[in-house]
Amino acid sequence: MADSKDFNPADSIQDLQYFGEFGGVNPSISDSSTYTFLSAKTMFDTFEGNAEGCYLYSRHSSPSNLYLGEALAAMEGTETANVAATGMGAIVPTIMQLCCAGDHVVSSRTIYGGTYAYLKNFAPRLNINTSFVDITDIDKVEAAITENTKVIFCETVSNPLLEVADIAELSKLAKKHGIKLLVDNTFSPLSVSPAKFGADVVLHSLTKFINGSSDTMGGVMCGTQEFINELRSVNDGASMLMGASMDSMRAASILKNMRTLHIRVKQHSRNAMYLAEKFQEDGLKTVYPGLASHPSHEKFKKMMNAEYGYGGMLTVDVGSLDKANELMELMQERNLGYLAVSLGFYKTLFSAPGTSTSSEISVEEQAEMGLTDGLIRFSIGLDNNIERTYDMMRACMVKVGVL
């Protein structure tokens, strides 16, 4: 567990200094799929996992991927990290490394649709079953744990309902039962550092805020050196054998974007806070962890690294899917953002999760968890003049009859 006192994720990233092969200010990109050995013995040792600093094959690791992994581990305060080609390329191998046939997972009921679909529809084919619970109710989480449970899975801030997990309490529960706590921190990089509160593995879709320009996919699992070594093992490592490896060029471009992450997260948070307060004043049903009306506002406040704010994600319920679609189409027409899935882009993105990013969840289960038809999920952009943006958004809402 990272020491919470004096830990600042942006400082940890800034303190990493890499030189390129010819003295470049960016590390050289290793544009190779395979690597040479000066002796046959070194190749043997590398296959056995005993040759530190030697590269074998890019599916295992590459210098560029290790640079990015090191920066992400520094950001999350873990011993090390392993990057993958997509967010799901990090989540699935992590679960597979920890679970065998007959094992059980306890998961938050509101999670990214792809993770939900994997746990609900695919993992049972491997005889790995999942109980989905309200992650904010610790008693319900504990009641779902069985003798076969190996993992508690949650998101710091859930997709799309923005429920907040009490990571410290979940960690205590995991330790009490001898199981692992996996936390997807995609919605709250820098704002919350889950390892400080006892998360065993911290996951991200790098596709979102961390990369920030919606031009590539990526994932990462941050954890102990021992666990990351297990994932990379040539004999039985899920990352190595399932093959969702990141390309070196992409790793280098994400690493460059990480250098501005602190500036971007602060602006995303500032803009989202402004809009959330305004929408709430207008009488719209607005959910944002920074609002005192959010049921977990105090919980988030207790966990957060204050200077980075409450993140860039908010939801507004406009009553019906037709109204949601009409409003989103008008906002896109007026250049206020894009009707698109994903998040963390420099322009605002909006979607109706019930029919898009959470469509894998059945209509009945959506209703049970409170995911309504009229819910719009906003990923708020880096707009310089958020007051102007609000005025334009409000005009759209008036025009379609939401206000």
Side-chain angles (χ1 to χ4, degrees), residues 72 75-76 82 84 86-91 156 183-190 192-194 201-210 218-222 261:
L72 290 157
M75 179 185 86
E76 286 298 359
N82 188 53
T86 69
M88 290 303 291
I91 289 167
T156 308
V183 180
D184 183 337
N185 201 32
T186 298
F187 274 29
S188 41
L190 303 187
V192 179
S193 304
V201 184
V202 182
L203 299 147
H204 283 273
S205 167
L206 305 177
T207 314
K208 316 300 193 306
F209 287 105
I210 289 175
V220 69
M221 49 280 264
C222 306
L261 181 62

Side-chain angles (χ1 to χ4, degrees), residues 214 313 328 332 337-343 345 347-353 356-357 376-379:
S214 290
M313 304 301 297
M328 291 188 295
Q332 178 168 260
Y338 296 108
L339 173 46
V341 299
S342 202
L343 49 124
F345 191 45
K347 286 274 283 189
T348 294
L349 303 176
F350 29 81
S351 61
S356 60
T357 51
I376 300 176
R377 187 191 77 178
F378 286 84
S379 166

